[in-house]
Amino acid sequence: MQLDGRNALVTGVSRRAGIGYAIARRLLDAGASVFIQGWTSHDAAQHWGPEPGGTEGIARELGVAFAEEDFEDADAPQRVIGVASDALGPLDVLVVNHARSGHGRLSELTAEKLDGFLRVNVRASLLLVREFARLHGGSRPDGRVVLLTSGQHLAPMAGEIAYAVSKGALQQATLTLADELADLGITVNTVNPGPTETGWGLAKQEPSSMPLGRWGEPDDAARLIVWLCSDEARWITGQTIDSEGGFRRWK
């Protein structure tokens, strides 16, 4: 699988244990030039905390350019696409991996909390795709957009209602985006990584619901996503695909 000469932007790359980091590594290994976006302050607010050096440290380790941008800002998607294009040249691949994470049941939901999830997970994602498509303009062959969703289309996600709704919106938008961008030569697919051990606590739980007897690993989804960016997947679009970690025995 070769991606030589392809330029790729991956969002949400600020933790070595994360799926975004695995995606960036796989793209680089396949020969692509990569630009990453991260928002270290989001990690700082989570129980796992930020990586030493934040997004900048990750970018230095990978040997890539980066942007530290908060997608709560409505203008951030356009800025990120712009600086990525300035750094690499015209973009061929957009992997929308970032996400606002968090728990909360319906009784705990407020307008402010819901808007926060929708701004980052839905609005920013769609604006990234819009700007990517605008600059791509069908001028380069085989554009690729890969979105990431969660398991809300397979089973309830109790205690994560705002997160589930926001990630579900991307899964529901996939077919429509694919249809709209087909004439530009851009495919759009969505990947559900499934329960993946990225440092948020799965390692402490028994993976009895997983057919392979283990939790998903970041590289499971990364391998699928990079394949979707390859020439082998050029005719696949409008699909929501569950990676190895997504095949869970839902009860």
Side-chain angles (χ1 to χ4, degrees):
M1 187 189 312
Q2 294 299 314
L3 295 175
D4 295 327
R6 309 284 177 88
N7 297 327
L9 164 62
V10 185
T11 65
V13 186
S14 59
R15 300 176 59 242
R16 292 172 180 83
I19 294 172
Y21 180 83
I23 296 167
R25 288 291 300 267
R26 282 277 176 181
L27 286 168
L28 289 166
D29 289 346
S33 298
V34 177
F35 186 100
I36 65 171
Q37 173 274 342
W39 183 237
T40 306
S41 295
H42 174 267
D43 295 322
Q46 306 301 319
H47 67 82
W48 53 73
E51 289 276 8
T55 306
E56 182 177 4
I58 296 293
R60 188 183 307 113
E61 178 182 313
L62 292 171
V64 302
F66 76 100
E68 185 85 45
E69 284 278 5
D70 181 5
F71 284 138
E72 284 270 6
D73 183 345
D75 296 325
Q78 184 172 1
R79 287 198 299 268
V80 170
I81 294 288
V83 296
S85 299
D86 289 343
L88 301 180
L91 297 177
D92 304 288
V93 173
L94 170 64
V95 181
V96 182
N97 170 74
H98 75 273
R100 175 170 174 165
S101 304
H103 294 273
R105 304 189 71 86
L106 181 61
S107 60
E108 302 167 321
L109 191 63
T110 66
E112 182 179 5
K113 288 180 180 178
L114 179 58
D115 286 347
F117 281 93
L118 295 177
R119 284 193 295 267
V120 174
N121 295 351
V122 183
R123 183 185 70 187
S125 298
L126 293 178
L127 292 178
L128 283 163
V129 176
R130 183 202 68 183
E131 194 65 13
F132 172 83
R134 184 184 71 81
L135 294 182
H136 186 278
S139 60
R140 290 166 69 86
D142 298 328
R144 299 284 188 272
V145 173
V146 182
L147 308 170
L148 273 78
T149 188
S150 194
Q152 73 293 317
H153 59 294
L154 300 175
M157 294 179 64
E160 298 178 89
I161 187 166
Y163 175 77
V165 167
S166 65
K167 298 301 279 186
L170 298 183
Q171 186 251 339
Q172 287 295 315
T174 303
L175 191 57
T176 297
L177 290 171
D179 181 73
E180 184 158 344
L181 299 184
D183 288 344
L184 297 178
I186 300 172
T187 65
V188 182
N189 293 290
T190 293
V191 168
N192 164 33
T196 301
E197 176 47 49
T198 57
W200 57 278
L202 276 182
K204 300 177 182 178
Q205 303 176 37
E206 180 64 34
S208 57
S209 62
M210 302 297 289
L212 298 181
R214 66 170 179 85
W215 298 116
E217 300 174 355
D219 199 50
D220 295 337
R223 285 184 286 119
L224 172 57
I225 288 166
V226 173
W227 179 77
L228 286 170
C229 296
S230 73
D231 289 341
E232 294 178 2
R234 62 187 177 278
W235 305 119
I236 298 175
T237 192
Q239 304 301 304
T240 297
I241 306 169
D242 298 305
S243 77
E244 184 177 358
F247 291 104
R248 180 176 183 176
R249 293 192 186 99
W250 297 103
K251 298 180 179 179

PDB file of all heavy atoms in Angstrom, residues 10-27 34 36-37 58 62 95 97-98 148 198 218 221-222 225:
ATOM      1  N   VAL A  10      -4.466  15.024   9.470  1.00  0.00           N
ATOM      2  CA  VAL A  10      -5.125  14.205  10.482  1.00  0.00           C
ATOM      3  C   VAL A  10      -5.403  15.095  11.693  1.00  0.00           C
ATOM      4  O   VAL A  10      -4.483  15.699  12.253  1.00  0.00           O
ATOM      5  CB  VAL A  10      -4.259  13.010  10.916  1.00  0.00           C
ATOM      6  CG1 VAL A  10      -5.038  12.116  11.886  1.00  0.00           C
ATOM      7  CG2 VAL A  10      -3.784  12.212   9.713  1.00  0.00           C
ATOM      8  N   THR A  11      -6.663  15.171  12.105  1.00  0.00           N
ATOM      9  CA  THR A  11      -7.002  15.968  13.285  1.00  0.00           C
ATOM     10  C   THR A  11      -7.014  15.082  14.523  1.00  0.00           C
ATOM     11  O   THR A  11      -7.139  13.861  14.445  1.00  0.00           O
ATOM     12  CB  THR A  11      -8.366  16.661  13.125  1.00  0.00           C
ATOM     13  OG1 THR A  11      -9.406  15.667  13.059  1.00  0.00           O
ATOM     14  CG2 THR A  11      -8.397  17.515  11.870  1.00  0.00           C
ATOM     15  N   GLY A  12      -6.890  15.728  15.677  1.00  0.00           N
ATOM     16  CA  GLY A  12      -6.943  14.992  16.936  1.00  0.00           C
ATOM     17  C   GLY A  12      -5.745  14.120  17.199  1.00  0.00           C
ATOM     18  O   GLY A  12      -5.885  12.978  17.639  1.00  0.00           O
ATOM     19  N   VAL A  13      -4.541  14.659  16.969  1.00  0.00           N
ATOM     20  CA  VAL A  13      -3.307  13.892  17.199  1.00  0.00           C
ATOM     21  C   VAL A  13      -2.520  14.591  18.304  1.00  0.00           C
ATOM     22  O   VAL A  13      -1.693  15.455  18.041  1.00  0.00           O
ATOM     23  CB  VAL A  13      -2.455  13.782  15.920  1.00  0.00           C
ATOM     24  CG1 VAL A  13      -1.253  12.864  16.161  1.00  0.00           C
ATOM     25  CG2 VAL A  13      -3.285  13.272  14.754  1.00  0.00           C
ATOM     26  N   SER A  14      -2.811  14.236  19.537  1.00  0.00           N
ATOM     27  CA  SER A  14      -2.115  14.890  20.651  1.00  0.00           C
ATOM     28  C   SER A  14      -1.688  13.906  21.730  1.00  0.00           C
ATOM     29  O   SER A  14      -1.142  14.316  22.750  1.00  0.00           O
ATOM     30  CB  SER A  14      -3.019  15.965  21.279  1.00  0.00           C
ATOM     31  OG  SER A  14      -4.233  15.392  21.748  1.00  0.00           O
ATOM     32  N   ARG A  15      -1.949  12.593  21.517  1.00  0.00           N
ATOM     33  CA  ARG A  15      -1.595  11.582  22.512  1.00  0.00           C
ATOM     34  C   ARG A  15      -0.994  10.362  21.817  1.00  0.00           C
ATOM     35  O   ARG A  15      -1.551   9.863  20.841  1.00  0.00           O
ATOM     36  CB  ARG A  15      -2.828  11.154  23.309  1.00  0.00           C
ATOM     37  CG  ARG A  15      -3.495  12.267  24.066  1.00  0.00           C
ATOM     38  CD  ARG A  15      -4.770  11.796  24.747  1.00  0.00           C
ATOM     39  NE  ARG A  15      -4.499  10.700  25.674  1.00  0.00           N
ATOM     40  CZ  ARG A  15      -5.026   9.475  25.544  1.00  0.00           C
ATOM     41  NH1 ARG A  15      -5.810   9.189  24.517  1.00  0.00           N
ATOM     42  NH2 ARG A  15      -4.751   8.543  26.425  1.00  0.00           N
ATOM     43  N   ARG A  16       0.111   9.884  22.335  1.00  0.00           N
ATOM     44  CA  ARG A  16       0.768   8.716  21.737  1.00  0.00           C
ATOM     45  C   ARG A  16      -0.097   7.471  21.837  1.00  0.00           C
ATOM     46  O   ARG A  16       0.046   6.554  21.027  1.00  0.00           O
ATOM     47  CB  ARG A  16       2.125   8.482  22.404  1.00  0.00           C
ATOM     48  CG  ARG A  16       3.148   9.572  22.084  1.00  0.00           C
ATOM     49  CD  ARG A  16       4.410   9.440  22.903  1.00  0.00           C
ATOM     50  NE  ARG A  16       5.371  10.492  22.573  1.00  0.00           N
ATOM     51  CZ  ARG A  16       5.331  11.717  23.089  1.00  0.00           C
ATOM     52  NH1 ARG A  16       4.372  12.045  23.959  1.00  0.00           N
ATOM     53  NH2 ARG A  16       6.223  12.618  22.736  1.00  0.00           N
ATOM     54  N   ALA A  17      -0.979   7.420  22.822  1.00  0.00           N
ATOM     55  CA  ALA A  17      -1.849   6.259  22.983  1.00  0.00           C
ATOM     56  C   ALA A  17      -3.104   6.353  22.135  1.00  0.00           C
ATOM     57  O   ALA A  17      -3.905   5.417  22.119  1.00  0.00           O
ATOM     58  CB  ALA A  17      -2.257   6.108  24.454  1.00  0.00           C
ATOM     59  N   GLY A  18      -3.283   7.455  21.408  1.00  0.00           N
ATOM     60  CA  GLY A  18      -4.516   7.688  20.691  1.00  0.00           C
ATOM     61  C   GLY A  18      -4.552   7.103  19.287  1.00  0.00           C
ATOM     62  O   GLY A  18      -3.523   6.754  18.695  1.00  0.00           O
ATOM     63  N   ILE A  19      -5.760   7.018  18.746  1.00  0.00           N
ATOM     64  CA  ILE A  19      -5.949   6.508  17.392  1.00  0.00           C
ATOM     65  C   ILE A  19      -5.325   7.458  16.371  1.00  0.00           C
ATOM     66  O   ILE A  19      -4.739   7.020  15.376  1.00  0.00           O
ATOM     67  CB  ILE A  19      -7.447   6.296  17.111  1.00  0.00           C
ATOM     68  CG1 ILE A  19      -7.993   5.189  18.011  1.00  0.00           C
ATOM     69  CG2 ILE A  19      -7.685   5.948  15.640  1.00  0.00           C
ATOM     70  CD1 ILE A  19      -9.497   5.026  17.968  1.00  0.00           C
ATOM     71  N   GLY A  20      -5.423   8.761  16.594  1.00  0.00           N
ATOM     72  CA  GLY A  20      -4.859   9.727  15.657  1.00  0.00           C
ATOM     73  C   GLY A  20      -3.365   9.554  15.462  1.00  0.00           C
ATOM     74  O   GLY A  20      -2.859   9.659  14.336  1.00  0.00           O
ATOM     75  N   TYR A  21      -2.664   9.286  16.546  1.00  0.00           N
ATOM     76  CA  TYR A  21      -1.219   9.058  16.464  1.00  0.00           C
ATOM     77  C   TYR A  21      -0.928   7.829  15.611  1.00  0.00           C
ATOM     78  O   TYR A  21      -0.028   7.847  14.750  1.00  0.00           O
ATOM     79  CB  TYR A  21      -0.657   8.890  17.870  1.00  0.00           C
ATOM     80  CG  TYR A  21       0.837   8.655  17.942  1.00  0.00           C
ATOM     81  CD1 TYR A  21       1.724   9.726  17.897  1.00  0.00           C
ATOM     82  CD2 TYR A  21       1.348   7.371  18.064  1.00  0.00           C
ATOM     83  CE1 TYR A  21       3.097   9.516  17.978  1.00  0.00           C
ATOM     84  CE2 TYR A  21       2.708   7.155  18.142  1.00  0.00           C
ATOM     85  CZ  TYR A  21       3.583   8.222  18.092  1.00  0.00           C
ATOM     86  OH  TYR A  21       4.937   8.009  18.169  1.00  0.00           O
ATOM     87  N   ALA A  22      -1.698   6.752  15.821  1.00  0.00           N
ATOM     88  CA  ALA A  22      -1.502   5.527  15.034  1.00  0.00           C
ATOM     89  C   ALA A  22      -1.788   5.769  13.560  1.00  0.00           C
ATOM     90  O   ALA A  22      -1.089   5.254  12.684  1.00  0.00           O
ATOM     91  CB  ALA A  22      -2.398   4.412  15.575  1.00  0.00           C
ATOM     92  N   ILE A  23      -2.803   6.571  13.269  1.00  0.00           N
ATOM     93  CA  ILE A  23      -3.131   6.904  11.878  1.00  0.00           C
ATOM     94  C   ILE A  23      -1.981   7.674  11.233  1.00  0.00           C
ATOM     95  O   ILE A  23      -1.560   7.370  10.108  1.00  0.00           O
ATOM     96  CB  ILE A  23      -4.432   7.723  11.807  1.00  0.00           C
ATOM     97  CG1 ILE A  23      -5.625   6.905  12.292  1.00  0.00           C
ATOM     98  CG2 ILE A  23      -4.679   8.216  10.372  1.00  0.00           C
ATOM     99  CD1 ILE A  23      -6.871   7.739  12.540  1.00  0.00           C
ATOM    100  N   ALA A  24      -1.490   8.692  11.938  1.00  0.00           N
ATOM    101  CA  ALA A  24      -0.393   9.490  11.396  1.00  0.00           C
ATOM    102  C   ALA A  24       0.831   8.630  11.118  1.00  0.00           C
ATOM    103  O   ALA A  24       1.477   8.757  10.066  1.00  0.00           O
ATOM    104  CB  ALA A  24      -0.057  10.629  12.359  1.00  0.00           C
ATOM    105  N   ARG A  25       1.160   7.723  12.048  1.00  0.00           N
ATOM    106  CA  ARG A  25       2.310   6.840  11.845  1.00  0.00           C
ATOM    107  C   ARG A  25       2.112   5.947  10.627  1.00  0.00           C
ATOM    108  O   ARG A  25       3.030   5.755   9.819  1.00  0.00           O
ATOM    109  CB  ARG A  25       2.524   5.974  13.099  1.00  0.00           C
ATOM    110  CG  ARG A  25       3.074   6.720  14.297  1.00  0.00           C
ATOM    111  CD  ARG A  25       4.523   7.151  14.083  1.00  0.00           C
ATOM    112  NE  ARG A  25       5.397   6.009  13.852  1.00  0.00           N
ATOM    113  CZ  ARG A  25       6.067   5.391  14.804  1.00  0.00           C
ATOM    114  NH1 ARG A  25       5.946   5.772  16.065  1.00  0.00           N
ATOM    115  NH2 ARG A  25       6.864   4.385  14.507  1.00  0.00           N
ATOM    116  N   ARG A  26       0.922   5.378  10.479  1.00  0.00           N
ATOM    117  CA  ARG A  26       0.641   4.501   9.341  1.00  0.00           C
ATOM    118  C   ARG A  26       0.713   5.273   8.017  1.00  0.00           C
ATOM    119  O   ARG A  26       1.217   4.748   7.007  1.00  0.00           O
ATOM    120  CB  ARG A  26      -0.732   3.859   9.506  1.00  0.00           C
ATOM    121  CG  ARG A  26      -0.761   2.696  10.472  1.00  0.00           C
ATOM    122  CD  ARG A  26      -0.305   1.423   9.783  1.00  0.00           C
ATOM    123  NE  ARG A  26      -0.235   0.282  10.706  1.00  0.00           N
ATOM    124  CZ  ARG A  26       0.152  -0.922  10.346  1.00  0.00           C
ATOM    125  NH1 ARG A  26       0.510  -1.154   9.086  1.00  0.00           N
ATOM    126  NH2 ARG A  26       0.207  -1.901  11.219  1.00  0.00           N
ATOM    127  N   LEU A  27       0.181   6.480   7.991  1.00  0.00           N
ATOM    128  CA  LEU A  27       0.248   7.289   6.773  1.00  0.00           C
ATOM    129  C   LEU A  27       1.691   7.597   6.402  1.00  0.00           C
ATOM    130  O   LEU A  27       2.079   7.513   5.230  1.00  0.00           O
ATOM    131  CB  LEU A  27      -0.544   8.586   6.961  1.00  0.00           C
ATOM    132  CG  LEU A  27      -2.063   8.459   6.935  1.00  0.00           C
ATOM    133  CD1 LEU A  27      -2.705   9.756   7.430  1.00  0.00           C
ATOM    134  CD2 LEU A  27      -2.577   8.134   5.531  1.00  0.00           C
ATOM    135  N   VAL A  34       2.414  14.292   6.034  1.00  0.00           N
ATOM    136  CA  VAL A  34       1.354  14.405   7.032  1.00  0.00           C
ATOM    137  C   VAL A  34       1.455  15.716   7.796  1.00  0.00           C
ATOM    138  O   VAL A  34       2.555  16.158   8.146  1.00  0.00           O
ATOM    139  CB  VAL A  34       1.397  13.215   8.018  1.00  0.00           C
ATOM    140  CG1 VAL A  34       0.347  13.368   9.116  1.00  0.00           C
ATOM    141  CG2 VAL A  34       1.195  11.893   7.274  1.00  0.00           C
ATOM    142  N   ILE A  36      -0.582  17.445  11.266  1.00  0.00           N
ATOM    143  CA  ILE A  36      -1.493  17.062  12.344  1.00  0.00           C
ATOM    144  C   ILE A  36      -2.049  18.290  13.072  1.00  0.00           C
ATOM    145  O   ILE A  36      -1.414  19.343  13.124  1.00  0.00           O
ATOM    146  CB  ILE A  36      -0.821  16.130  13.367  1.00  0.00           C
ATOM    147  CG1 ILE A  36       0.318  16.840  14.107  1.00  0.00           C
ATOM    148  CG2 ILE A  36      -0.333  14.857  12.688  1.00  0.00           C
ATOM    149  CD1 ILE A  36       0.888  16.055  15.276  1.00  0.00           C
ATOM    150  N   GLN A  37      -3.242  18.111  13.599  1.00  0.00           N
ATOM    151  CA  GLN A  37      -3.857  19.107  14.479  1.00  0.00           C
ATOM    152  C   GLN A  37      -4.094  18.456  15.828  1.00  0.00           C
ATOM    153  O   GLN A  37      -4.422  17.272  15.927  1.00  0.00           O
ATOM    154  CB  GLN A  37      -5.200  19.589  13.905  1.00  0.00           C
ATOM    155  CG  GLN A  37      -6.009  20.509  14.820  1.00  0.00           C
ATOM    156  CD  GLN A  37      -6.908  19.761  15.816  1.00  0.00           C
ATOM    157  OE1 GLN A  37      -7.186  18.583  15.614  1.00  0.00           O
ATOM    158  NE2 GLN A  37      -7.314  20.429  16.885  1.00  0.00           N
ATOM    159  N   ILE A  58       4.448  15.796  20.076  1.00  0.00           N
ATOM    160  CA  ILE A  58       4.052  14.692  19.201  1.00  0.00           C
ATOM    161  C   ILE A  58       4.528  14.962  17.771  1.00  0.00           C
ATOM    162  O   ILE A  58       5.071  14.084  17.093  1.00  0.00           O
ATOM    163  CB  ILE A  58       2.528  14.503  19.221  1.00  0.00           C
ATOM    164  CG1 ILE A  58       2.050  14.091  20.612  1.00  0.00           C
ATOM    165  CG2 ILE A  58       2.090  13.496  18.166  1.00  0.00           C
ATOM    166  CD1 ILE A  58       2.501  12.744  21.052  1.00  0.00           C
ATOM    167  N   LEU A  62       7.117  12.803  15.403  1.00  0.00           N
ATOM    168  CA  LEU A  62       6.725  12.262  14.105  1.00  0.00           C
ATOM    169  C   LEU A  62       7.484  12.904  12.948  1.00  0.00           C
ATOM    170  O   LEU A  62       7.520  12.355  11.845  1.00  0.00           O
ATOM    171  CB  LEU A  62       5.219  12.462  13.892  1.00  0.00           C
ATOM    172  CG  LEU A  62       4.273  11.665  14.789  1.00  0.00           C
ATOM    173  CD1 LEU A  62       2.838  12.137  14.594  1.00  0.00           C
ATOM    174  CD2 LEU A  62       4.390  10.167  14.495  1.00  0.00           C
ATOM    175  N   VAL A  95      -8.426  13.150   7.409  1.00  0.00           N
ATOM    176  CA  VAL A  95      -8.915  12.195   8.401  1.00  0.00           C
ATOM    177  C   VAL A  95      -9.401  12.996   9.605  1.00  0.00           C
ATOM    178  O   VAL A  95      -8.601  13.622  10.311  1.00  0.00           O
ATOM    179  CB  VAL A  95      -7.832  11.186   8.833  1.00  0.00           C
ATOM    180  CG1 VAL A  95      -8.414  10.208   9.858  1.00  0.00           C
ATOM    181  CG2 VAL A  95      -7.278  10.436   7.634  1.00  0.00           C
ATOM    182  N   ASN A  97     -10.356  12.865  12.895  1.00  0.00           N
ATOM    183  CA  ASN A  97     -10.223  11.968  14.042  1.00  0.00           C
ATOM    184  C   ASN A  97     -10.534  12.654  15.369  1.00  0.00           C
ATOM    185  O   ASN A  97     -10.817  11.974  16.358  1.00  0.00           O
ATOM    186  CB  ASN A  97      -8.799  11.406  14.063  1.00  0.00           C
ATOM    187  CG  ASN A  97      -8.494  10.665  15.343  1.00  0.00           C
ATOM    188  OD1 ASN A  97      -8.957   9.555  15.557  1.00  0.00           O
ATOM    189  ND2 ASN A  97      -7.716  11.296  16.224  1.00  0.00           N
ATOM    190  N   HIS A  98     -10.507  13.973  15.418  1.00  0.00           N
ATOM    191  CA  HIS A  98     -10.683  14.672  16.697  1.00  0.00           C
ATOM    192  C   HIS A  98     -12.077  14.412  17.279  1.00  0.00           C
ATOM    193  O   HIS A  98     -13.017  14.091  16.543  1.00  0.00           O
ATOM    194  CB  HIS A  98     -10.488  16.181  16.505  1.00  0.00           C
ATOM    195  CG  HIS A  98     -11.647  16.835  15.822  1.00  0.00           C
ATOM    196  ND1 HIS A  98     -11.747  16.911  14.443  1.00  0.00           N
ATOM    197  CD2 HIS A  98     -12.776  17.403  16.310  1.00  0.00           C
ATOM    198  CE1 HIS A  98     -12.876  17.524  14.120  1.00  0.00           C
ATOM    199  NE2 HIS A  98     -13.521  17.821  15.235  1.00  0.00           N
ATOM    200  N   LEU A 148     -14.607   9.655  11.750  1.00  0.00           N
ATOM    201  CA  LEU A 148     -14.675   8.629  12.792  1.00  0.00           C
ATOM    202  C   LEU A 148     -15.950   8.810  13.603  1.00  0.00           C
ATOM    203  O   LEU A 148     -16.282   9.932  14.013  1.00  0.00           O
ATOM    204  CB  LEU A 148     -13.461   8.684  13.713  1.00  0.00           C
ATOM    205  CG  LEU A 148     -12.256   7.863  13.213  1.00  0.00           C
ATOM    206  CD1 LEU A 148     -11.511   8.614  12.108  1.00  0.00           C
ATOM    207  CD2 LEU A 148     -11.313   7.515  14.349  1.00  0.00           C
ATOM    208  N   THR A 198      -7.204   3.293  24.635  1.00  0.00           N
ATOM    209  CA  THR A 198      -6.369   4.467  24.370  1.00  0.00           C
ATOM    210  C   THR A 198      -5.993   5.172  25.672  1.00  0.00           C
ATOM    211  O   THR A 198      -5.656   6.353  25.658  1.00  0.00           O
ATOM    212  CB  THR A 198      -7.102   5.452  23.437  1.00  0.00           C
ATOM    213  OG1 THR A 198      -8.353   5.829  24.034  1.00  0.00           O
ATOM    214  CG2 THR A 198      -7.355   4.831  22.079  1.00  0.00           C
ATOM    215  N   PRO A 218      -5.348   0.935  18.945  1.00  0.00           N
ATOM    216  CA  PRO A 218      -5.368   2.050  17.997  1.00  0.00           C
ATOM    217  C   PRO A 218      -4.961   1.671  16.584  1.00  0.00           C
ATOM    218  O   PRO A 218      -5.511   2.189  15.610  1.00  0.00           O
ATOM    219  CB  PRO A 218      -4.388   3.052  18.624  1.00  0.00           C
ATOM    220  CG  PRO A 218      -4.483   2.795  20.086  1.00  0.00           C
ATOM    221  CD  PRO A 218      -4.652   1.302  20.205  1.00  0.00           C
ATOM    222  N   ALA A 221      -7.846   0.338  13.944  1.00  0.00           N
ATOM    223  CA  ALA A 221      -8.554   1.347  13.150  1.00  0.00           C
ATOM    224  C   ALA A 221      -7.613   2.034  12.171  1.00  0.00           C
ATOM    225  O   ALA A 221      -7.995   2.339  11.036  1.00  0.00           O
ATOM    226  CB  ALA A 221      -9.209   2.371  14.062  1.00  0.00           C
ATOM    227  N   ALA A 222      -6.375   2.278  12.590  1.00  0.00           N
ATOM    228  CA  ALA A 222      -5.418   2.989  11.731  1.00  0.00           C
ATOM    229  C   ALA A 222      -5.155   2.226  10.440  1.00  0.00           C
ATOM    230  O   ALA A 222      -5.099   2.816   9.350  1.00  0.00           O
ATOM    231  CB  ALA A 222      -4.110   3.228  12.483  1.00  0.00           C
ATOM    232  N   ILE A 225      -8.190   2.677   8.170  1.00  0.00           N
ATOM    233  CA  ILE A 225      -8.303   4.045   7.667  1.00  0.00           C
ATOM    234  C   ILE A 225      -7.276   4.319   6.575  1.00  0.00           C
ATOM    235  O   ILE A 225      -7.606   4.913   5.537  1.00  0.00           O
ATOM    236  CB  ILE A 225      -8.178   5.040   8.839  1.00  0.00           C
ATOM    237  CG1 ILE A 225      -9.445   4.973   9.699  1.00  0.00           C
ATOM    238  CG2 ILE A 225      -7.928   6.463   8.335  1.00  0.00           C
ATOM    239  CD1 ILE A 225      -9.316   5.636  11.046  1.00  0.00           C
TER     240      ILE A 225
END
